[in-house]
Amino acid sequence: MKYILAGVIAALFSSTTFAQQSTSKSMSFEECLQVIQRTAAQLGVAPINITETTDMRMVRFPTNDGSVLVTCSRPDRKMVMTVSKK
């Protein structure tokens, strides 16, 4: 899972064609919360909570050239990661 996350982040940040790019992946809510923790460690930035309930968590990571938004949904069993560039 660690290598998948690194690949997703690298692929999203390497795209210069789009100002915003999203990817989604099926996974458990608990796995998705771990992705948030690992993303924080990889980027060296604490997540900013946008919403947090028992069924959903959405956080934003500010970066030098934009931000990374991670959404975890328990009912959908899905993680969506969106990278936006300034």
Side-chain angles (χ1 to χ4, degrees):
M1 185 65 153
K2 177 180 177 182
Y3 299 108
I4 293 171
L5 174 64
V8 167
I9 291 173
L12 290 172
F13 272 106
S14 67
S15 174
T16 56
T17 312
F18 300 103
Q20 182 175 348
Q21 188 173 4
S22 294
T23 187
S24 65
K25 184 161 181 63
S26 295
M27 67 178 64
S28 73
F29 188 69
E30 292 72 22
E31 287 175 309
C32 188
L33 296 179
Q34 291 175 2
V35 168
I36 291 173
Q37 292 175 344
R38 287 193 295 270
T39 302
Q42 287 182 341
L43 296 177
V45 178
I48 299 167
N49 274 339
I50 296 173
T51 188
E52 187 170 9
T53 68
T54 57
D55 288 333
M56 183 178 176
R57 183 164 186 209
M58 181 184 290
V59 299
R60 185 176 68 83
F61 294 95
T63 63
N64 289 339
D65 61 348
S67 65
V68 177
L69 185 71
V70 180
T71 304
C72 300
S73 172
R74 185 185 306 271
D76 298 331
R77 295 186 51 83
K78 186 180 285 190
M79 177 207 67
V80 177
M81 183 179 288
T82 303
V83 175
S84 300
K85 293 188 178 185
K86 293 181 184 177

